Amino acid sequence: MRSHYCGALSTSNIDETVTLCGWVDRRRDHGGVIFLDMRDRQGVVQVVFDPDTEEHFQRADRVRSEYVLKITGRVRARGEGTVNPAMATGQIEVLGKELEILNAAATPPFQLDEHTAVGEEVRLRYRYMDLRRHEMQERLALRSKITTAVRNFLDAEGFLDIETPILTRATPEGARDYLVPSRTHPGQFFALPQSPQLFKQLLMVAGFDRYYQIAKCFRDEDLRADRQPEFTQIDIETSFMDEAGIMDIAERMVRGLFKSALDVDLPEFPSMPYAEAMERFGSDKPDLRIDMELVSVDDLMQQVDFKVFRGPADDPAGRVAALRVPGGASISRKEIDDYTSYVAVFGAKGLAWVKVNDLAAGVEGLQSPILKFMPDAVVLEMMQRLGAADGDIIFFGADKTRVVNDALGALRLKVAEDQGLVREGWAPLWVVDFPMFEEDSDGSWTPLHHPFTAPSCSAEEMQASPGTALSRAYDMVLNGTELGGGSVRIHQRDMQEAVFRALEISDEEASEKFGFLLQALQYGAPPHGGLAFGLDRLIMLMTGSPSIRDVIAFPKTQTAACLMTDAPGNVSAQQLRELNIRLRQQAENKGEQG
Ligand code: ASP
């Protein structure tokens, strides 16, 4: 139908007759001349109709925003004074000769350029309109460019794209499963994959050696900011490769994506042990664009009587740490109160602080509600350790180590953002040497990654001390966001069983849920490992989008619903009967068996 995209026209097309198809972005009537801004996925161009072309002029007069048109006309240079430098096609316009209305449009639910004012709910309800916006078109175009680059890179490295099932058994990644009832097996359910983890491992047992997939994953998680119940991973697995080899491939891939899509050369990827990341940043995904660090002062606080600090300092499971904010002494009491509420969410019972007004005046030059509880010598030694300078504020956390790390780790990000202390640019790293397990409040262990991750010690050592056993897992972190992670896997049945035992998964349960894996490990499973990247998050970072929903064509809301299709929805009684399902609520409402 068309000869050119609207947004692709330039001065090189002057005097050409072109046919364009697209939407009416704007229509203006200027004293007998009609201006139509025509839009397609490439951009916008101005089309002018004058009364010389009477029939078409009449039609142009009738069109409204978002009508779909086909127009034919001649490209010409804009007259002096009418050039629009803000518009990519602002040097030219099209003198319209013919206009065909391909479809009319109802009045749009919102003006596309006023999307921010209408709120996300309306945008999601009319997503097909929202997606017409240039910004959204660009993001999804970049997404497509990136997945193409991923495929090209992995293909060149010898990876095979292999699909794995969506209707399957639970693949644990720490979330709740989405379940699908089986009609043919009454009372039984499929689980949607939380990741292709087990299948990709089985593909290694099968000898495929290098696998990848751009895979949908499903996790029914509680409402957490900026998560999607279904999301996409770049999923990778390799055989006969150790962590160094896998990390090298992953790093080259990400480097290549940044270069090709954004023309950015990412800096070095340092490797940081998990313990160091927690100690220095209170986080396993530190944002290295921020220079502030947590500094432990437990040894000093063991010398004070102040119970709030002394208790955690003496407790092997406790921590007292300080966060120095350069130039933060100007932070007001009100802001400190706000930060106190902010850290309370992470379990912190308070937020002690010291303002450094005049260090040369010693303790006299410090302002704080807590210093009176500490000997001067300790205070001054602490100031020295923290590298305090006039004009700083120092915040403290004293509690169980996890609370201190979570609270000060989050505060570090928040204060840096508020005070403009986040450097521009990209700061990648690898976090390595994760613990195998995390202790739950009831004393049981859960895997920090998934239960198929290999420990870096023997099974005996792991069993003797699950709390200190490290794993062969690695996470790639960029600007404080976990881009991806993976591990070398367990490839021997004995070890896999030992891990299940450490997790208190009984032999019966293990064989019921993972019998197929345990069996496969007996039939010549090669050493293998891999990782997965969160594609949505990667694109979000690369496009600088405020939300993950902005880089997904049809995302769900925070309550895991699709406002446009109104999913999830009701199903008919007939469908339920076929599935052998009776809804409790319905039965209760009707006082009968539905
Ligand atoms: N399956 C893991 C995940 O979804 C990634 C991996 O270990 O490869 O996080």
Side-chain angles (χ1 to χ4, degrees):
M1 272 188 177
R2 63 158 69 91
S3 68
H4 293 77
Y5 277 111
C6 303
L9 293 176
S10 70
T11 46
S12 67
N13 302 104
I14 285 173
D15 287 334
E16 282 177 38
T17 293
V18 295
T19 301
L20 308 174
C21 293
W23 289 260
V24 177
D25 200 55
R26 258 189 337 151
R27 174 188 162 286
R28 278 156 297 145
D29 195 333
H30 273 215
V33 182
I34 293 170
F35 291 92
L36 299 178
D37 283 348
M38 277 261 287
R39 184 188 66 238
D40 57 27
R41 75 170 212 206
Q42 299 281 20
V44 175
V45 71
Q46 173 170 291
V47 184
V48 191
F49 279 91
D50 59 35
D52 295 352
T53 51
E54 203 189 326
E55 175 197 342
H56 300 286
F57 178 82
Q58 298 288 343
R59 264 190 231 140
D61 199 32
R62 281 210 321 271
V63 308
R64 295 291 175 264
S65 284
E66 303 308 318
Y67 271 43
V68 190
L69 307 183
K70 175 180 171 187
I71 71 110
T72 300
R74 193 171 50 78
V75 181
R76 67 182 186 191
R78 289 205 195 187
E80 229 172 272
T82 60
V83 167
N84 180 355
M87 207 171 162
T89 58
Q91 303 269 346
I92 51 148
E93 63 189 6
V94 176
L95 179 62
K97 299 281 181 216
E98 290 168 26
L99 184 153
E100 187 183 336
I101 297 177
L102 298 177
N103 210 345
T107 306
F110 58 93
Q111 288 298 320
L112 298 195
D113 53 356
E114 286 170 4
H115 62 282
T116 43
V118 303
E120 199 180 16
E121 203 181 307
V122 180
R123 286 176 52 202
L124 289 179
R125 199 173 296 283
Y126 299 95
R127 187 59 158 179
Y128 44 87
M129 302 293 293
D130 188 44
L131 289 174
R132 282 184 196 165
R133 294 190 296 112
H134 182 59
E135 195 179 29
M136 296 304 284
Q137 299 259 327
E138 265 195 333
R139 285 176 183 153
L140 292 186
L142 187 83
R143 185 177 175 123
S144 167
K145 194 170 161 185
I146 287 168
T147 49
T148 304
V150 164
R151 289 184 188 286
N152 290 342
F153 173 85
L154 290 173
D155 182 65
E157 295 279 332
F159 284 80
L160 301 180
D161 175 7
I162 304 178
E163 287 166 82
T164 54
I166 295 294
L167 295 177
T168 176
R169 268 207 168 249
T171 340
E173 295 280 358
R176 233 176 258 118
D177 286 322
Y178 273 98
L179 298 177
V180 179
S182 162
R183 179 181 57 80
T184 44
H185 299 271
Q188 301 201 310
F189 294 81
F190 295 103
L192 304 183
Q194 293 188 27
S195 81
Q197 186 60 37
L198 293 176
F199 289 102
K200 67 174 172 172
Q201 289 190 229
L202 294 172
L203 288 171
M204 294 305 107
V205 178
F208 285 102
D209 200 69
R210 291 183 172 206
Y211 140 97
Y212 86 97
Q213 185 181 189
I214 298 188
K216 270 290 174 79
C217 303
F218 306 85
R219 300 185 189 177
D220 186 1
E221 292 185 283
D222 289 327
L223 300 187
R224 271 210 265 163
D226 226 16
R227 296 245 177 175
Q228 284 285 308
E230 70 176 287
F231 61 98
T232 309
Q233 282 188 344
I234 305 168
D235 195 39
I236 294 174
E237 196 76 5
T238 65
S239 295
F240 307 112
M241 209 180 251
D242 59 14
E243 34 286 66
I246 298 166
M247 288 156 76
D248 174 63
I249 290 186
E251 197 174 309
R252 282 191 288 118
M253 183 181 88
V254 170
R255 239 176 228 297
L257 296 182
F258 272 78
K259 188 66 189 169
S260 64
L262 302 179
D263 198 24
V264 162
D265 291 301
L266 287 178
E268 290 300 305
F269 285 59
S271 264
M272 186 181 295
Y274 171 88
E276 181 184 337
M278 298 308 281
E279 168 79 16
R280 293 173 58 194
F281 307 103
S283 165
D284 61 359
K285 40 179 191 297
D287 189 339
L288 298 185
R289 294 171 305 165
I290 303 167
D291 288 329
M292 295 185 279
E293 293 190 16
L294 278 56
V295 176
S296 287
V297 292
D298 301 78
D299 55 329
L300 295 175
M301 292 306 128
Q302 282 164 358
Q303 305 166 31
V304 306
D305 290 329
F306 184 38
K307 264 220 325 269
V308 177
F309 281 16
R310 177 70 185 262
D314 284 338
D315 178 356
R319 181 177 189 194
V320 186
L323 178 72
R324 181 176 73 86
V325 182
S330 56
I331 293 176
S332 70
R333 286 300 284 266
K334 160 90 178 61
E335 285 171 294
I336 294 178
D337 288 347
D338 291 346
Y339 289 139
T340 308
S341 320
Y342 183 72
V343 294
V345 175
F346 302 91
K349 293 187 268 302
L351 183 62
W353 53 271
V354 173
K355 282 187 179 178
V356 185
N357 295 330
D358 181 11
L359 206 54
V363 177
E364 295 302 306
L366 304 175
Q367 176 193 348
S368 165
I370 55 161
L371 292 184
K372 52 178 179 280
F373 303 113
M374 298 178 196
D376 289 1
V378 170
V379 172
L380 293 177
E381 193 179 338
M382 183 165 68
M383 290 303 126
Q384 204 170 24
R385 180 178 300 177
L386 299 175
D390 291 353
D392 294 349
I393 190 170
I394 298 156
F395 291 112
F396 294 88
D399 211 308
K400 292 286 179 211
T401 303
R402 183 199 291 226
V403 171
V404 170
N405 288 344
D406 287 354
L408 287 189
L411 184 68
R412 172 176 175 269
L413 301 180
K414 174 110 181 83
V415 172
E417 189 76 48
D418 293 350
Q419 305 293 316
L421 296 172
V422 187
R423 227 176 299 120
E424 283 289 308
W426 302 99
L429 78 152
W430 285 103
V431 177
V432 296
D433 297 338
F434 283 87
M436 271 297 276
F437 308 109
E438 249 179 336
E439 195 167 6
D440 283 341
S441 45
D442 62 1
S444 64
W445 300 103
T446 38
L448 207 80
H449 282 84
H450 48 59
F452 318 107
T453 300
S456 41
C457 57
S458 69
E460 293 71 36
E461 285 166 317
M462 179 188 74
Q463 275 152 342
S465 176
T468 57
L470 298 182
S471 72
R472 297 178 69 183
Y474 32 77
D475 275 2
M476 186 190 281
V477 175
L478 181 62
N479 291 3
T481 297
E482 182 198 324
L483 276 192
S487 57
V488 170
R489 325 295 183 190
I490 296 166
H491 69 285
Q492 276 152 340
R493 179 171 178 143
D494 294 349
M495 179 62 97
Q496 187 62 72
E497 284 176 333
V499 169
F500 286 152
R501 245 174 273 130
L503 295 170
E504 291 173 35
I505 298 176
S506 69
D507 289 353
E508 297 77 64
E509 191 183 349
S511 91
E512 207 268 316
K513 288 186 173 155
F514 307 116
F516 62 100
L517 173 73
L518 291 171
Q519 197 168 45
L521 294 181
Q522 287 179 296
Y523 286 103
H528 61 285
L531 82 176
F533 288 96
L535 178 67
D536 311 291
R537 216 157 279 281
L538 176 68
I539 311 277
M540 176 178 116
L541 272 186
M542 292 181 79
T543 53
S545 304
S547 153
I548 201 171
R549 296 185 293 281
D550 283 335
V551 297
I552 298 174
F554 299 105
K556 308 251 179 325
T557 61
Q558 295 254 319
T559 57
C562 172
L563 294 177
M564 186 182 69
T565 61
D566 216 7
N570 296 323
V571 298
S572 70
Q574 160 78 10
Q575 279 174 301
L576 287 177
R577 211 170 301 123
E578 278 174 359
L579 293 170
N580 281 285
I581 288 181
R582 183 184 300 150
L583 297 184
R584 276 207 209 193
Q585 223 173 349
Q586 227 171 45
E588 280 160 19
N589 284 349
K590 291 186 187 160
E592 57 176 58
Q593 300 84 14

